[in-house]
Amino acid sequence: MNIVGIAACTSGIAHTYIAKEKLIKAGVALGHNISIETQGTIGIEDKLTKEKIAAADVVIIAADIKVNGMDRFINKKIVEVPTSIVIKSPKGLINKIQTELGLT
């Protein structure tokens, strides 16, 4: 799968970056292409390109707050979860998404 996403938490520090790291490690380990943008205390980092969004099979929003730029994902399958789900079970989340999309 081609996965893009956004990670953001209420403080914009710890959970934002932990969620990003866990999603990327899990996605790569499962053989997927994955890019995660962060929206934290220092602003947006690793902003998703139009090309990556266009190629995406799914968008994962791992956030505990409202994220900016959701309009970029029109006509995309969006999965919204709290950062705690991603931190606890990133592979489980990605496998569930893959099954639901029929990409197993």
Side-chain angles (χ1 to χ4, degrees):
M1 281 190 302
N2 288 315
I3 303 167
V4 297
I6 297 175
C9 70
T10 53
S11 67
I13 303 171
H15 288 123
T16 298
Y17 297 99
I18 294 169
K20 175 185 178 176
E21 181 181 332
K22 294 242 182 189
L23 275 173
I24 290 173
K25 283 184 178 180
V28 169
L30 294 169
H32 304 297
N33 297 314
I34 184 164
S35 296
I36 304 295
E37 171 182 306
T38 56
Q39 294 186 9
T41 55
I42 60 173
I44 295 174
E45 293 181 284
D46 300 317
K47 185 170 179 154
L48 298 169
T49 65
K50 289 180 182 181
E51 294 79 16
K52 285 185 180 183
I53 294 168
D57 297 304
V58 66
V59 179
I60 299 174
I61 306 298
D64 303 319
I65 59 170
K66 184 177 182 203
V67 298
N68 296 316
M70 289 297 290
D71 57 322
R72 298 177 283 171
F73 307 123
I74 293 172
N75 299 321
K76 291 290 177 183
K77 169 71 175 158
I78 299 171
V79 176
E80 295 186 63
V81 295
T83 57
S84 60
I85 297 291
V86 171
I87 291 168
K88 289 177 187 171
S89 184
K91 284 184 180 178
L93 174 65
I94 292 172
N95 283 330
K96 182 177 180 183
I97 291 168
Q98 186 174 335
T99 299
E100 288 179 5
L101 292 178
L103 300 172
T104 55

